[in-house]
Amino acid sequence: MEQEYGLAELDERIAGCRACPRLVDWREEVARTKRAAFADWTYWGRPVPGFGPPDASLLVVGLAPAAHGGNRTGRMFTGDRSGDVLYAALHDVGLASQPTSVSSDDGLALHGVRVTSPVHCAPPANKPTPEERDTCRPWLVSELRLLRPTLRAVVVLGAFGWQAALPAFAEAGWTVPRPRPAFAHGARVTLDGSDRPLELFGCFHVSQRNTFTGRLTPEMLRNVLRTAAKAADLPTRTNEG
């Protein structure tokens, strides 16, 4: 089924979604009470749409916005430590214009890359329910269909995103192998499509639990991003200084 609207309108529709009562209540409560460090901020407090150009050839799929990150700033992986790690790595390999992402008006631009998530609202304890994941899936399916003309590769961060994204790829027109491939850091799976295949890569999530313990190092993340960028025909740089 062809989309009847473009990516900009999809982003607007996502930002107005109120389909999951628990998530609506939580994101709006967080936006009212705030964190002391951000008391002077006007929180976004809505679903957070994807970020990046509409002709991206590489997609990065996370989990969900952070309560005081994307839910505050209105941009994916912006304003929290997970975003600090992700955008620094994207910049290191030449896919982002700057290494930091602190607000939606900070001038950051992504080069051939878009960042999204299977759940667009900040969930309590960073844990969406399976029902919330499934309710949000049509947004990801629509985004994939709109990106399909240029999309070549996808990096999925973490097992939750992997499990949530596989059905979306199938609904968007790619063939997911059976049995479904298991998530692993460094996993690479080719999804066949009617026009071209899609290269799918697994990467540990950029959560503090992973980055603080060394389960995911900056080098590991850069390696996955660089390999995926090559599959997406995007130029990268090797100098990480």
Side-chain angles (χ1 to χ4, degrees):
M1 180 179 177
E2 294 298 322
Q3 296 295 321
E4 297 178 354
Y5 48 84
L7 202 55
E9 184 176 344
L10 175 67
D11 290 346
E12 290 181 7
R13 292 184 179 203
I14 289 172
C17 183
R18 300 182 65 84
C20 299
R22 186 183 81 113
L23 297 186
V24 171
D25 290 346
W26 172 252
R27 79 193 191 208
E28 293 181 355
E29 174 65 19
V30 169
R32 282 192 299 270
T33 58
K34 307 182 182 181
R35 178 176 284 171
F38 307 121
D40 59 341
W41 276 75
T42 299
Y43 275 51
W44 173 256
R46 299 159 65 192
V48 181
F51 169 60
D55 60 349
S57 56
L58 174 60
L59 184 66
V60 177
V61 179
L63 190 163
H68 301 281
N71 189 57
R72 170 172 60 91
T73 63
R75 191 167 74 191
M76 283 286 171
F77 282 105
T78 297
D80 61 25
R81 289 182 175 176
S82 294
D84 292 344
V85 173
L86 176 62
Y87 287 115
L90 286 168
H91 179 261
D92 284 344
V93 301
L95 300 175
S97 63
Q98 61 192 42
T100 57
S101 182
V102 296
S103 67
S104 60
D105 60 355
D106 61 7
L108 173 66
L110 300 183
H111 308 314
V113 181
R114 185 170 171 86
V115 181
T116 193
S117 65
V119 175
H120 286 274
C121 291
N126 291 321
K127 292 182 179 179
T129 67
E131 181 181 4
E132 290 162 351
R133 174 200 64 198
D134 294 346
T135 299
C136 209
R137 181 177 298 140
W139 295 127
L140 180 56
V141 173
S142 294
E143 190 169 13
L144 289 168
R145 286 174 174 161
L146 288 166
L147 292 171
R148 185 169 181 136
T150 57
L151 193 61
R152 303 289 189 278
V154 180
V155 173
V156 180
L157 302 173
F160 179 95
W162 184 270
Q163 294 163 2
L166 289 178
F169 292 130
E171 288 186 44
W174 285 279
T175 300
V176 176
R178 289 185 177 277
R180 285 183 181 173
F183 171 79
H185 181 83
R188 179 172 184 171
V189 180
T190 300
L191 307 182
D192 292 329
S194 58
D195 43 4
R196 72 179 64 84
L198 184 69
E199 296 298 319
L200 177 63
F201 297 85
C203 179
F204 289 142
H205 196 278
V206 289
S207 66
Q208 292 184 54
R209 180 169 56 184
N210 287 337
T211 58
F212 282 11
T213 61
R215 188 181 191 216
L216 177 67
T217 66
E219 182 179 8
M220 290 167 64
L221 178 57
R222 288 192 296 264
N223 286 342
V224 173
L225 290 173
R226 192 174 285 114
T227 303
K230 182 177 180 181
D233 293 325
L234 290 174
T236 61
R237 61 168 176 252
T238 57
N239 181 14
E240 295 152 5

